[in-house]
Amino acid sequence: MCRIYGHFGAEPVDRDVLHAVARAMHQGGPDDQTVHTAPTWALGNNRLAVQGIGHGRQPFVLGDMTCVFNGEIYNHRELRAELAAAGHRFEGDCDGDVLLPLYERHGDAFVSRLEGMFAIAVVDRRAEPCLKLFNDHAGMKSLYYHLSADGRRLSFASELRALSRFPDFPDTLDPLAIDRYLGGRAVWGPETVYAGVRTLAPGTALRFADGRLTATRTPLAPAEVDWPDTGPGLTAAASILDGLLQHELTRMLDADVPVCVITSGGLDSSYTSAIAASVVPDLASFNVAYRGDWPADERHFAAEAARHSGTRHHQVLLDPADFPALVDRFVRHLDQPNNAPHSLSTFALFEAIHEAGFKVALTGDGADELFGGYARYVKAARDGSATWHRGYQDTMAAIGTTTLERLYTPAHRAHLAAHGGLFTDRTGDALDRRVRSGERAGRDKLETLLRYDQDERFPYYILRRVDHLSMAHSVEARIPFLQPAVMRFAHALPAGLKVVGDTVKAPVAEAARRWVPRSVIDRPKQPFTLPIAAMIKPGEALHELIGDTLLAPGARYRDHVRQDVVRDLFRMQSETPGAHTAEVLWSLLMLETWLSARNLTP
């Protein structure tokens, strides 16, 4: 696992600038820092050594091809054997060794042979010199890029604040960015919060040569499922899924450094933790909770799952009095505003994992999006009204349409109207068109909603957060549910086997029954979150932080949002704490903290 960066085209970039880029994301690769420079390009790498520690120094070089790589290739041993049989010689045991030999043999299609998570940059000088950027089909590893003002140079980096150290970084905010954040809980890609900066969408191959930029996105082909003679059914689907996850977890637990698991107390992480514990003796598990008595506390479920699977359990307890200091720290690492309250606890959890001596942590992310784990999917799929899409998009917003219209200043409302209206309206209409098109082609509405989420929201709201907050503490987060074989199976699975009656994510629940206590499987779904409605009230540290930050005379958000309305909301929350008002205030706190921090050096 690493952080990568570089540029291609035009005149050289000063080496001091490249060092500044590397320093801005040093925590993502503290073990080794290298950069290869040439007259018109450079490739750099900050290494977090996990696999093949004695070798694997980057950049990788093969003939007239040079490569840097961020991620892990879990099938590298099979690929290494295949390449060795074809005559290629290897030294050491680094997974990245297979990349350029595969690229040489298969061209851009080499990424279809990779199983893992990755962002890869290749400078290919064999014909027309070019830079190519690739990422995995789920979008697990972030990669940002921008063109210079004259269009002759492309610069890229794993983190936005590192990319901003390059010359000509376009640091002008996208005029729709505030609304895109508040309407989507994060800035959905491939655009970013900056007007001239983009990020690779999942499964993208980007080519830049002689000022020409082309991007190709290849969908992940679904699997051809080998169903038993009895045909498709929930029991068979659960059995196939269980076999896939056991295979993936066995490979993902292969590392040259200590590996642990994160057990939130929910179904997905408890399930993957139990499988991992059957492979690794004395496996360590981690859970995060808050000192005091708070709603939605799952620590006892996590502890029960840990006892059941036999892990060596670590309970991380955070003191809410320390939250104001944590807010500033984790927001800086997110690069773009994100409203998820549990970003705070996720950041602190990875810090505790690092301090305990672990470099790799397995998570349970992705199952909900692949197998239909949220009630909003089901409700929208069964809603035949003409306005279903507006209500569905509102459920994904940090602040709903009605409140946004009251919050925005008249000038900002007029600006949005001139550019197509609110984000929730624009994306809701786009979703409705996608569903109608799918239905005409015979595709199921539920599956269309799941694919929409996987493409449009999930990489930018959740996966970007996992990537940035784990690497902020030099920890690699591995995600079993997002491996190609599992994703292909999920895409091939009939929607009627994903949601069975009122049971969401039915194959996962069924597969987990032999691994996880019934109390974890059968209890109502409860999202992992920070109980902000209870924590933003008089006497609590977050309440004071929000009042001091949002009601300050120089608050930066006031160019877009009415402070008098915010003051009314803060008064309401102080008198009668509620979930909706708390989420609005928290979302604005994230925005204001990000606006204040975005121009500060790390």
PDB file of all heavy atoms in Angstrom, residues 116-138:
ATOM      1  N   GLY A 116      -7.886  -7.311  -6.490  1.00  0.00           N
ATOM      2  CA  GLY A 116      -7.380  -6.556  -5.350  1.00  0.00           C
ATOM      3  C   GLY A 116      -7.957  -5.162  -5.352  1.00  0.00           C
ATOM      4  O   GLY A 116      -9.106  -4.935  -5.746  1.00  0.00           O
ATOM      5  N   MET A 117      -7.158  -4.215  -4.911  1.00  0.00           N
ATOM      6  CA  MET A 117      -7.544  -2.802  -4.965  1.00  0.00           C
ATOM      7  C   MET A 117      -6.318  -2.057  -5.459  1.00  0.00           C
ATOM      8  O   MET A 117      -5.190  -2.362  -5.080  1.00  0.00           O
ATOM      9  CB  MET A 117      -7.980  -2.304  -3.588  1.00  0.00           C
ATOM     10  CG  MET A 117      -6.960  -2.507  -2.492  1.00  0.00           C
ATOM     11  SD  MET A 117      -7.578  -1.919  -0.894  1.00  0.00           S
ATOM     12  CE  MET A 117      -6.241  -2.432   0.198  1.00  0.00           C
ATOM     13  N   PHE A 118      -6.525  -1.050  -6.324  1.00  0.00           N
ATOM     14  CA  PHE A 118      -5.335  -0.433  -6.901  1.00  0.00           C
ATOM     15  C   PHE A 118      -5.637   0.903  -7.570  1.00  0.00           C
ATOM     16  O   PHE A 118      -6.741   1.156  -8.047  1.00  0.00           O
ATOM     17  CB  PHE A 118      -4.684  -1.362  -7.926  1.00  0.00           C
ATOM     18  CG  PHE A 118      -5.616  -1.859  -9.004  1.00  0.00           C
ATOM     19  CD1 PHE A 118      -5.879  -1.110 -10.138  1.00  0.00           C
ATOM     20  CD2 PHE A 118      -6.240  -3.101  -8.875  1.00  0.00           C
ATOM     21  CE1 PHE A 118      -6.727  -1.588 -11.134  1.00  0.00           C
ATOM     22  CE2 PHE A 118      -7.091  -3.587  -9.854  1.00  0.00           C
ATOM     23  CZ  PHE A 118      -7.337  -2.819 -10.990  1.00  0.00           C
ATOM     24  N   ALA A 119      -4.625   1.749  -7.550  1.00  0.00           N
ATOM     25  CA  ALA A 119      -4.504   2.907  -8.428  1.00  0.00           C
ATOM     26  C   ALA A 119      -3.093   2.828  -8.992  1.00  0.00           C
ATOM     27  O   ALA A 119      -2.119   2.726  -8.240  1.00  0.00           O
ATOM     28  CB  ALA A 119      -4.712   4.209  -7.671  1.00  0.00           C
ATOM     29  N   ILE A 120      -2.966   2.827 -10.312  1.00  0.00           N
ATOM     30  CA  ILE A 120      -1.707   2.541 -10.987  1.00  0.00           C
ATOM     31  C   ILE A 120      -1.423   3.653 -11.982  1.00  0.00           C
ATOM     32  O   ILE A 120      -2.313   4.114 -12.698  1.00  0.00           O
ATOM     33  CB  ILE A 120      -1.768   1.191 -11.722  1.00  0.00           C
ATOM     34  CG1 ILE A 120      -2.094   0.054 -10.751  1.00  0.00           C
ATOM     35  CG2 ILE A 120      -0.457   0.890 -12.452  1.00  0.00           C
ATOM     36  CD1 ILE A 120      -2.469  -1.255 -11.445  1.00  0.00           C
ATOM     37  N   ALA A 121      -0.165   4.073 -12.045  1.00  0.00           N
ATOM     38  CA  ALA A 121       0.281   5.032 -13.048  1.00  0.00           C
ATOM     39  C   ALA A 121       1.423   4.413 -13.845  1.00  0.00           C
ATOM     40  O   ALA A 121       2.388   3.903 -13.266  1.00  0.00           O
ATOM     41  CB  ALA A 121       0.746   6.331 -12.392  1.00  0.00           C
ATOM     42  N   VAL A 122       1.309   4.446 -15.182  1.00  0.00           N
ATOM     43  CA  VAL A 122       2.320   3.887 -16.069  1.00  0.00           C
ATOM     44  C   VAL A 122       2.748   4.962 -17.055  1.00  0.00           C
ATOM     45  O   VAL A 122       1.898   5.578 -17.716  1.00  0.00           O
ATOM     46  CB  VAL A 122       1.778   2.665 -16.843  1.00  0.00           C
ATOM     47  CG1 VAL A 122       2.824   2.155 -17.842  1.00  0.00           C
ATOM     48  CG2 VAL A 122       1.361   1.550 -15.885  1.00  0.00           C
ATOM     49  N   VAL A 123       4.058   5.187 -17.165  1.00  0.00           N
ATOM     50  CA  VAL A 123       4.612   5.982 -18.259  1.00  0.00           C
ATOM     51  C   VAL A 123       5.151   4.995 -19.283  1.00  0.00           C
ATOM     52  O   VAL A 123       6.043   4.196 -18.985  1.00  0.00           O
ATOM     53  CB  VAL A 123       5.719   6.937 -17.779  1.00  0.00           C
ATOM     54  CG1 VAL A 123       6.429   7.567 -18.979  1.00  0.00           C
ATOM     55  CG2 VAL A 123       5.131   8.023 -16.890  1.00  0.00           C
ATOM     56  N   ASP A 124       4.570   5.035 -20.470  1.00  0.00           N
ATOM     57  CA  ASP A 124       4.915   4.096 -21.545  1.00  0.00           C
ATOM     58  C   ASP A 124       5.593   4.894 -22.661  1.00  0.00           C
ATOM     59  O   ASP A 124       4.962   5.733 -23.305  1.00  0.00           O
ATOM     60  CB  ASP A 124       3.644   3.409 -22.045  1.00  0.00           C
ATOM     61  CG  ASP A 124       3.926   2.290 -23.041  1.00  0.00           C
ATOM     62  OD1 ASP A 124       5.043   2.245 -23.595  1.00  0.00           O
ATOM     63  OD2 ASP A 124       3.021   1.458 -23.263  1.00  0.00           O
ATOM     64  N   ARG A 125       6.872   4.611 -22.918  1.00  0.00           N
ATOM     65  CA  ARG A 125       7.655   5.348 -23.909  1.00  0.00           C
ATOM     66  C   ARG A 125       7.966   4.504 -25.138  1.00  0.00           C
ATOM     67  O   ARG A 125       8.829   4.859 -25.939  1.00  0.00           O
ATOM     68  CB  ARG A 125       8.959   5.835 -23.269  1.00  0.00           C
ATOM     69  CG  ARG A 125       8.749   6.644 -22.011  1.00  0.00           C
ATOM     70  CD  ARG A 125      10.027   7.126 -21.370  1.00  0.00           C
ATOM     71  NE  ARG A 125      10.957   6.042 -21.031  1.00  0.00           N
ATOM     72  CZ  ARG A 125      10.804   5.216 -19.991  1.00  0.00           C
ATOM     73  NH1 ARG A 125       9.754   5.353 -19.186  1.00  0.00           N
ATOM     74  NH2 ARG A 125      11.684   4.257 -19.768  1.00  0.00           N
ATOM     75  N   ARG A 126       7.258   3.392 -25.347  1.00  0.00           N
ATOM     76  CA  ARG A 126       7.597   2.494 -26.441  1.00  0.00           C
ATOM     77  C   ARG A 126       7.185   3.045 -27.806  1.00  0.00           C
ATOM     78  O   ARG A 126       7.863   2.790 -28.804  1.00  0.00           O
ATOM     79  CB  ARG A 126       6.931   1.132 -26.216  1.00  0.00           C
ATOM     80  CG  ARG A 126       7.496   0.355 -25.033  1.00  0.00           C
ATOM     81  CD  ARG A 126       6.725  -0.924 -24.806  1.00  0.00           C
ATOM     82  NE  ARG A 126       5.319  -0.674 -24.507  1.00  0.00           N
ATOM     83  CZ  ARG A 126       4.396  -1.618 -24.400  1.00  0.00           C
ATOM     84  NH1 ARG A 126       4.748  -2.893 -24.585  1.00  0.00           N
ATOM     85  NH2 ARG A 126       3.148  -1.314 -24.120  1.00  0.00           N
ATOM     86  N   ALA A 127       6.099   3.749 -27.902  1.00  0.00           N
ATOM     87  CA  ALA A 127       5.667   4.354 -29.158  1.00  0.00           C
ATOM     88  C   ALA A 127       5.505   5.852 -28.898  1.00  0.00           C
ATOM     89  O   ALA A 127       6.480   6.530 -28.598  1.00  0.00           O
ATOM     90  CB  ALA A 127       4.375   3.710 -29.640  1.00  0.00           C
ATOM     91  N   GLU A 128       4.273   6.353 -28.967  1.00  0.00           N
ATOM     92  CA  GLU A 128       4.051   7.742 -28.553  1.00  0.00           C
ATOM     93  C   GLU A 128       4.118   7.799 -27.038  1.00  0.00           C
ATOM     94  O   GLU A 128       3.340   7.129 -26.359  1.00  0.00           O
ATOM     95  CB  GLU A 128       2.688   8.227 -29.023  1.00  0.00           C
ATOM     96  CG  GLU A 128       2.416   9.682 -28.621  1.00  0.00           C
ATOM     97  CD  GLU A 128       1.014  10.133 -28.986  1.00  0.00           C
ATOM     98  OE1 GLU A 128       0.078   9.317 -28.885  1.00  0.00           O
ATOM     99  OE2 GLU A 128       0.861  11.317 -29.366  1.00  0.00           O
ATOM    100  N   PRO A 129       5.053   8.556 -26.465  1.00  0.00           N
ATOM    101  CA  PRO A 129       5.144   8.594 -24.994  1.00  0.00           C
ATOM    102  C   PRO A 129       3.824   9.053 -24.384  1.00  0.00           C
ATOM    103  O   PRO A 129       3.205  10.016 -24.865  1.00  0.00           O
ATOM    104  CB  PRO A 129       6.261   9.612 -24.743  1.00  0.00           C
ATOM    105  CG  PRO A 129       7.077   9.611 -26.008  1.00  0.00           C
ATOM    106  CD  PRO A 129       6.086   9.374 -27.113  1.00  0.00           C
ATOM    107  N   CYS A 130       3.403   8.351 -23.348  1.00  0.00           N
ATOM    108  CA  CYS A 130       2.117   8.677 -22.734  1.00  0.00           C
ATOM    109  C   CYS A 130       2.130   8.295 -21.267  1.00  0.00           C
ATOM    110  O   CYS A 130       2.948   7.491 -20.809  1.00  0.00           O
ATOM    111  CB  CYS A 130       0.968   7.968 -23.454  1.00  0.00           C
ATOM    112  SG  CYS A 130       1.016   6.167 -23.324  1.00  0.00           S
ATOM    113  N   LEU A 131       1.212   8.896 -20.536  1.00  0.00           N
ATOM    114  CA  LEU A 131       0.928   8.526 -19.153  1.00  0.00           C
ATOM    115  C   LEU A 131      -0.433   7.843 -19.131  1.00  0.00           C
ATOM    116  O   LEU A 131      -1.391   8.321 -19.751  1.00  0.00           O
ATOM    117  CB  LEU A 131       0.886   9.768 -18.257  1.00  0.00           C
ATOM    118  CG  LEU A 131       0.324   9.568 -16.839  1.00  0.00           C
ATOM    119  CD1 LEU A 131       1.281   8.743 -15.983  1.00  0.00           C
ATOM    120  CD2 LEU A 131       0.039  10.915 -16.172  1.00  0.00           C
ATOM    121  N   LYS A 132      -0.522   6.720 -18.392  1.00  0.00           N
ATOM    122  CA  LYS A 132      -1.795   6.041 -18.220  1.00  0.00           C
ATOM    123  C   LYS A 132      -2.078   5.860 -16.731  1.00  0.00           C
ATOM    124  O   LYS A 132      -1.185   5.497 -15.966  1.00  0.00           O
ATOM    125  CB  LYS A 132      -1.789   4.676 -18.915  1.00  0.00           C
ATOM    126  CG  LYS A 132      -1.693   4.779 -20.440  1.00  0.00           C
ATOM    127  CD  LYS A 132      -1.751   3.404 -21.083  1.00  0.00           C
ATOM    128  CE  LYS A 132      -1.698   3.517 -22.602  1.00  0.00           C
ATOM    129  NZ  LYS A 132      -1.763   2.171 -23.246  1.00  0.00           N
ATOM    130  N   LEU A 133      -3.312   6.126 -16.347  1.00  0.00           N
ATOM    131  CA  LEU A 133      -3.773   5.933 -14.977  1.00  0.00           C
ATOM    132  C   LEU A 133      -4.894   4.901 -14.971  1.00  0.00           C
ATOM    133  O   LEU A 133      -5.791   4.949 -15.826  1.00  0.00           O
ATOM    134  CB  LEU A 133      -4.284   7.252 -14.375  1.00  0.00           C
ATOM    135  CG  LEU A 133      -3.320   8.446 -14.397  1.00  0.00           C
ATOM    136  CD1 LEU A 133      -4.010   9.683 -13.806  1.00  0.00           C
ATOM    137  CD2 LEU A 133      -2.043   8.145 -13.633  1.00  0.00           C
ATOM    138  N   PHE A 134      -4.863   3.980 -13.998  1.00  0.00           N
ATOM    139  CA  PHE A 134      -5.858   2.920 -13.889  1.00  0.00           C
ATOM    140  C   PHE A 134      -6.314   2.803 -12.438  1.00  0.00           C
ATOM    141  O   PHE A 134      -5.531   3.055 -11.516  1.00  0.00           O
ATOM    142  CB  PHE A 134      -5.269   1.561 -14.302  1.00  0.00           C
ATOM    143  CG  PHE A 134      -4.648   1.525 -15.663  1.00  0.00           C
ATOM    144  CD1 PHE A 134      -3.295   1.810 -15.834  1.00  0.00           C
ATOM    145  CD2 PHE A 134      -5.397   1.176 -16.776  1.00  0.00           C
ATOM    146  CE1 PHE A 134      -2.704   1.757 -17.092  1.00  0.00           C
ATOM    147  CE2 PHE A 134      -4.816   1.117 -18.041  1.00  0.00           C
ATOM    148  CZ  PHE A 134      -3.466   1.407 -18.200  1.00  0.00           C
ATOM    149  N   ASN A 135      -7.562   2.372 -12.241  1.00  0.00           N
ATOM    150  CA  ASN A 135      -8.000   2.027 -10.887  1.00  0.00           C
ATOM    151  C   ASN A 135      -8.940   0.838 -10.927  1.00  0.00           C
ATOM    152  O   ASN A 135      -9.369   0.385 -11.992  1.00  0.00           O
ATOM    153  CB  ASN A 135      -8.639   3.218 -10.162  1.00  0.00           C
ATOM    154  CG  ASN A 135      -9.969   3.623 -10.744  1.00  0.00           C
ATOM    155  OD1 ASN A 135     -10.318   3.268 -11.871  1.00  0.00           O
ATOM    156  ND2 ASN A 135     -10.741   4.390  -9.999  1.00  0.00           N
ATOM    157  N   ASP A 136      -9.252   0.279  -9.746  1.00  0.00           N
ATOM    158  CA  ASP A 136     -10.063  -0.929  -9.676  1.00  0.00           C
ATOM    159  C   ASP A 136     -11.536  -0.611  -9.914  1.00  0.00           C
ATOM    160  O   ASP A 136     -11.960   0.540  -9.903  1.00  0.00           O
ATOM    161  CB  ASP A 136      -9.863  -1.634  -8.327  1.00  0.00           C
ATOM    162  CG  ASP A 136     -10.299  -0.762  -7.157  1.00  0.00           C
ATOM    163  OD1 ASP A 136     -11.519  -0.613  -6.954  1.00  0.00           O
ATOM    164  OD2 ASP A 136      -9.431  -0.242  -6.428  1.00  0.00           O
ATOM    165  N   HIS A 137     -12.329  -1.672 -10.097  1.00  0.00           N
ATOM    166  CA  HIS A 137     -13.727  -1.503 -10.489  1.00  0.00           C
ATOM    167  C   HIS A 137     -14.609  -0.968  -9.370  1.00  0.00           C
ATOM    168  O   HIS A 137     -15.707  -0.473  -9.634  1.00  0.00           O
ATOM    169  CB  HIS A 137     -14.282  -2.826 -11.004  1.00  0.00           C
ATOM    170  CG  HIS A 137     -13.910  -3.113 -12.418  1.00  0.00           C
ATOM    171  ND1 HIS A 137     -12.780  -3.836 -12.759  1.00  0.00           N
ATOM    172  CD2 HIS A 137     -14.476  -2.744 -13.594  1.00  0.00           C
ATOM    173  CE1 HIS A 137     -12.700  -3.918 -14.069  1.00  0.00           C
ATOM    174  NE2 HIS A 137     -13.707  -3.267 -14.599  1.00  0.00           N
ATOM    175  N   ALA A 138     -14.186  -1.079  -8.133  1.00  0.00           N
ATOM    176  CA  ALA A 138     -14.986  -0.531  -7.037  1.00  0.00           C
ATOM    177  C   ALA A 138     -14.599   0.909  -6.718  1.00  0.00           C
ATOM    178  O   ALA A 138     -15.376   1.628  -6.100  1.00  0.00           O
ATOM    179  CB  ALA A 138     -14.830  -1.400  -5.788  1.00  0.00           C
TER     180      ALA A 138
END
